[in-house]
Amino acid sequence: MSDNLYTFGIHRNLKPADLFAYVALDETAKQLGLDDLTAAAAVLLGQADIPVAGKFAGATAGTSVASLTARKLLPFKVAVRLPMITSVGLKGVRIAFTRNLGAFVGRMVPVVGEIFLAIDAIQIMRHSLTTYNRLAKPEDRLL
């Protein structure tokens, strides 16, 4: 990095790395809103943290608030088997199939939340990089 110093908002004499940190914080504050709160809530409601008895060996332990609610509100059987992501880990993604619409919706709630949060993280970094490169001198720019 160079010895160039920058100003960002009320912050003065910032090194390039400090400038990037402030830009990233500013872009994060701009991006976060009600959509992010909803996405985070979907992820949390989809956590299988409610104990359930009578599951088969190898099944994901517990169930989620989203799954319980969706099964109660959507007790319909569908003609085709719908794929559900039951767990993601070092061993890979486990997929199960169901004809129960409520089970499918309940399992998809956290997946949709995680997708929205990932999109937000990508947008924050893209905007941070663009803003930083616009403010920085050519020798301090990234990518």
Side-chain angles (χ1 to χ4, degrees):
M1 285 282 163
S2 69
D3 293 328
N4 294 330
L5 296 176
Y6 297 95
T7 298
F8 186 75
I10 62 170
H11 307 284
R12 308 270 180 253
N13 299 324
L14 298 173
K15 294 179 182 176
D18 298 330
L19 174 64
F20 184 80
Y22 280 110
V23 167
L25 287 172
D26 187 56
E27 291 298 331
T28 301
K30 287 179 191 175
Q31 183 70 29
L32 297 181
L34 184 60
D35 293 344
D36 300 291
L37 184 59
T38 305
V43 171
L44 292 174
L45 290 173
Q47 298 305 303
D49 54 4
I50 299 173
V52 176
K55 285 205 166 190
F56 295 112
T60 303
T63 191
S64 67
V65 172
S67 185
L68 288 175
T69 305
R71 287 171 192 263
K72 196 175 287 185
L73 294 174
L74 301 167
F76 309 110
K77 297 287 183 195
V78 293
V80 295
R81 293 174 3 131
L82 302 169
M84 306 180 302
I85 297 174
T86 59
S87 69
V88 178
L90 295 176
K91 294 180 181 179
V93 177
R94 285 184 55 198
I95 297 177
F97 292 87
T98 185
R99 286 196 161 101
N100 184 319
L101 183 61
F104 174 74
V105 170
R107 290 283 188 170
M108 291 307 296
V109 166
V111 173
V112 171
E114 289 166 1
I115 290 169
F116 276 101
L117 291 175
I119 290 168
D120 280 339
I122 291 166
Q123 287 179 341
I124 288 168
M125 289 314 299
R126 186 172 52 90
H127 292 151
S128 297
L129 190 60
T130 302
T131 302
Y132 172 82
N133 283 339
R134 187 173 33 82
L135 296 172
K137 294 178 182 170
E139 62 268 19
D140 293 329
R141 290 184 183 150
L142 301 172
L143 300 177

